[in-house]
Amino acid sequence: MSAREIATFEEDLAAAMPALLTRAYARYSNFTVAAAVIDEDGVAHLGVNVENAAYPSGTCAEQTAIGAMVTAGGRKIAKVLIAGGSNTVVQPCGACRQRIAEFASDTCEIISVQDGRATRRTPFWSLLPDSFGPRDLD
Ligand code: THU
């Protein structure tokens, strides 16, 4: 994939986020979130938040998307696009930072999406410096 093709792919993915947001199950908070994890092969894995009547049993959008990536055989995260129904910038919660860290590449980026467009790019490791990870257990 050329740099131009990658840019177009990311733009298309960002444009699809508003439709993905409508699949979120946010019955209790009404705060819908959609995430797209792009793996090392450039494949996108999608997720939305899935809440539960037993509140702590709900899952975040990033968590759902990471599960989809691992299930499909992906093991490295290159980028994570995140959109919130509130249309504000939604950065991953603390628990999701830890979940992303497990698979994040050194150059992993968080891409905030608003109105179907990428509005902010954050280097993932700036959100979770000095973290505990797989290497600690090696
Ligand atoms: N949420 C996510 O899906 N991802 C985040 O990074 C922040 C929070 C969800 C969890 C819950 O369903 C709703 O947003 C309100 O916290």
Side-chain angles (χ1 to χ4, degrees), residues 29 31 33 49 51 59-62 90-93 96:
S29 72
F31 190 86
V33 183
N49 53 335
E51 296 186 348
T59 54
C60 284
E62 298 90 326
V90 176
Q91 293 285 25
C93 74
C96 283

Side-chain angles (χ1 to χ4, degrees), residues 15-136:
M17 299 297 271
L20 187 59
L21 273 170
T22 67
R23 307 235 177 110
Y25 182 76
R27 169 179 172 159
Y28 304 102
S29 72
N30 283 315
F31 190 86
T32 56
V33 183
V37 167
I38 302 178
D39 70 21
E40 72 269 43
D41 296 324
V43 178
H45 308 274
L46 309 180
V48 293
N49 53 335
V50 183
E51 296 186 348
N52 192 280
Y55 295 173
S57 300
T59 54
C60 284
E62 298 90 326
Q63 190 176 358
T64 314
I66 290 169
M69 179 193 80
V70 172
T71 305
R75 287 293 184 273
K76 264 280 174 258
I77 299 177
K79 291 169 191 182
V80 185
L81 283 76
I82 305 175
S86 59
N87 225 12
T88 55
V89 167
V90 176
Q91 293 285 25
C93 74
C96 283
R97 290 177 198 207
Q98 185 66 32
R99 293 185 180 107
I100 293 166
E102 185 74 20
F103 302 103
S105 69
D106 292 346
T107 56
C108 181
E109 254 185 355
I110 303 296
I111 302 175
S112 307
V113 175
Q114 292 169 280
D115 275 330
R117 278 198 302 273
T119 55
R120 197 198 283 189
R121 287 172 186 267
T122 310
F124 169 70
W125 290 107
S126 73
L127 298 177
L128 196 69
D130 211 11
S131 59
F132 181 84
R135 266 189 226 120
D136 292 292

